[in-house]
Amino acid sequence: MTDASLTAVAPAPANGAASANLVEVKNLVKYFPVRGGLLQRVVAWVQAVENVSFTVRRGETLGLVGESGCGKTTVGRTLLRLIPATKGEVLFDGRSVFTATPRELKALRRDMQIIFQDPFSSLDPRMPVGESIGEGLLVHGLTNRKERFEVVIQTLRKVGLEDYHARRYPHEFSGGQRQRIGIARALALRPKFIVCDEPVSALDVSIQAQVLNILNELQSEFDLTYLFIAHNLSVVEHIADRVAVMYLGKMVELAGRDELYRNPLHPYTQALMSAIPIPDPNLKRERIILKGDVPSPLRPPTGCRFHPRCPVALEHCAREEPAFREVSPDHFVACWRVE
């Protein structure tokens, strides 16, 4: 690969001293309208994300976990401005994402990429995968076709694919190979930050391990920062440095991986941890079975959103929402039970 092509895709360094936090999410809110009637007026709001705040440190992997429908994917797409936020603020490398002009946002897009959960639907079936991977390079100014092809080939090799795969179409690949293509497309621009939206949930266990190893290797080589969205806690334990837990659009706990898995404080986190399989038939873990269904985000419960299903709820939990606060160094939780 030529030096010129390497220079063309390298992101520009940020001005000033670098902060420890690459991404800062402050009081993020996202509501989706529900329309009805003859005039299709807004009759209700789906409260998908409600007042979520967290940071992603440079070079780390922050795992974001929770049940399906808790708002994980919405958080990932909203902070990238793929869908508009209702309220809140997101800073990337000190720059505001939501107030950026179209030109500024285009520059930010080079540094912020996403790996989608379903790689097949995110790839154009009429376009060879080499062109899909190189499309971002073309949009961001690498117009030299030869140099662009060299970057595509090098990126394919990084994710374990062969040069000739660049000329094939998405339907000619397996699910694991398509996910590698999705990783290659996100990696082509050499970003700083990648949102991994359940990248292994649809893959076989053996293929999951391969993809996770690729992500770890690429992070070490290119100094990447990940927001890793998943519902499989075993996968998150393998790859994450810190773990954030969401329930019904709210953040309920955030801590370092080892601390969270050793000492979960929120009752919802404890229930999730009790469901992790133990690879030893002689060991048993006491399961915490949650009663009832997840409430509708159209009409979330008052007070703590988890209290209708919480096995240790207090009367106070139904009346007032607990603050999301730091109870020990770098361990945050929103629960009245935690002193």
Side-chain angles (χ1 to χ4, degrees):
M1 185 173 180
T2 63
D3 292 338
S5 60
L6 278 170
T7 303
V9 296
N15 294 327
S19 168
N21 297 321
L22 182 63
V23 180
E24 298 180 49
V25 179
K26 302 178 181 179
N27 304 316
L28 183 64
V29 176
K30 177 59 185 176
Y31 292 171
F32 292 98
V34 178
R35 301 182 183 275
L38 292 175
L39 300 179
Q40 289 296 294
R41 292 174 175 168
V42 176
V43 296
W45 294 91
V46 176
Q47 300 179 30
V49 178
E50 181 68 49
N51 201 30
V52 168
S53 299
F54 61 91
T55 61
V56 188
R57 298 164 183 165
R58 295 178 186 274
E60 80 164 351
T61 299
L62 176 66
L64 186 60
V65 302
E67 293 174 287
S68 296
C70 72
K72 308 184 301 295
T73 294
T74 302
V75 167
R77 296 191 179 199
T78 304
L79 70 86
L80 292 178
R81 205 168 143 181
L82 296 180
I83 53 178
T86 303
K87 292 181 183 178
E89 182 182 17
V90 173
L91 299 179
F92 176 79
D93 212 3
R95 295 169 287 177
S96 175
V97 176
F98 295 165
T99 61
T101 65
R103 176 174 293 183
E104 292 170 341
L105 184 61
K106 181 179 179 181
L108 283 172
R109 294 259 187 250
R110 294 184 62 180
D111 291 333
M112 306 170 69
Q113 292 291 309
I114 184 170
I115 301 169
F116 292 99
Q117 179 177 358
D118 183 1
F120 188 67
S121 64
S122 66
L123 294 171
D124 189 338
R126 300 165 299 179
M127 184 181 291
V129 299
E131 292 186 22
S132 292
I133 295 170
E135 190 173 19
L137 299 169
L138 178 62
V139 168
H140 287 277
L142 185 53
T143 56
N144 185 301
R145 185 179 181 88
K146 181 179 179 181
E147 291 180 355
R148 195 164 65 245
F149 182 74
E150 289 177 349
V151 175
V152 169
I153 294 301
Q154 186 192 54
T155 308
L156 281 173
R157 292 171 181 170
K158 290 291 183 185
V159 299
L161 295 175
E162 302 295 335
D163 297 5
Y164 63 85
H165 286 143
R167 296 185 292 273
R168 292 188 174 180
Y169 289 84
H171 71 272
E172 301 180 73
F173 295 91
S174 67
Q177 288 176 318
R178 284 197 290 264
Q179 196 57 280
R180 291 169 188 247
I181 294 166
I183 296 171
R185 183 174 58 181
L187 185 67
L189 285 167
R190 300 297 185 264
K192 297 178 182 177
F193 176 63
I194 299 179
V195 174
C196 306
D197 184 11
E198 304 205 34
V200 298
S201 62
L203 306 179
D204 294 336
V205 174
S206 60
I207 305 300
Q208 285 184 12
Q210 294 175 16
V211 172
L212 291 175
N213 289 336
I214 288 173
L215 290 173
N216 276 328
E217 292 169 3
L218 293 175
Q219 184 175 38
S220 299
E221 183 173 353
F222 295 106
D223 194 25
L224 297 173
T225 302
Y226 293 143
L227 175 64
F228 191 91
I229 300 169
H231 60 264
N232 188 329
L233 288 168
S234 299
V235 170
V236 172
E237 185 179 15
H238 175 75
I239 195 170
D241 299 299
R242 291 189 300 148
V243 181
V245 182
M246 286 188 67
Y247 180 81
L248 200 62
K250 299 282 291 186
M251 193 81 77
V252 297
E253 192 162 2
L254 170 63
R257 175 192 59 196
D258 296 338
E259 168 68 13
L260 189 78
Y261 280 78
R262 181 179 64 252
N263 182 34
L265 297 179
H266 197 280
Y268 178 62
T269 309
Q270 293 169 358
L272 291 180
M273 296 297 180
S274 74
I276 299 176
I278 300 176
D280 187 340
N282 297 319
L283 296 178
K284 293 184 179 180
R285 176 183 283 136
E286 183 180 354
R287 284 293 310 274
I288 301 174
I289 306 299
L290 299 178
K291 298 180 180 180
D293 297 324
V294 179
S296 170
L298 281 168
R299 301 175 190 86
T302 58
C304 175
R305 295 193 175 190
F306 184 59
H307 86 264
R309 305 176 69 197
C310 181
V312 295
L314 305 168
E315 290 186 11
H316 189 63
C317 298
R319 296 194 302 267
E320 188 174 351
E321 182 180 354
F324 188 66
R325 58 197 176 87
E326 189 173 18
V327 295
S328 63
D330 209 24
H331 194 156
F332 298 81
V333 66
C335 182
W336 290 117
R337 279 279 186 179
V338 180
E339 296 296 333

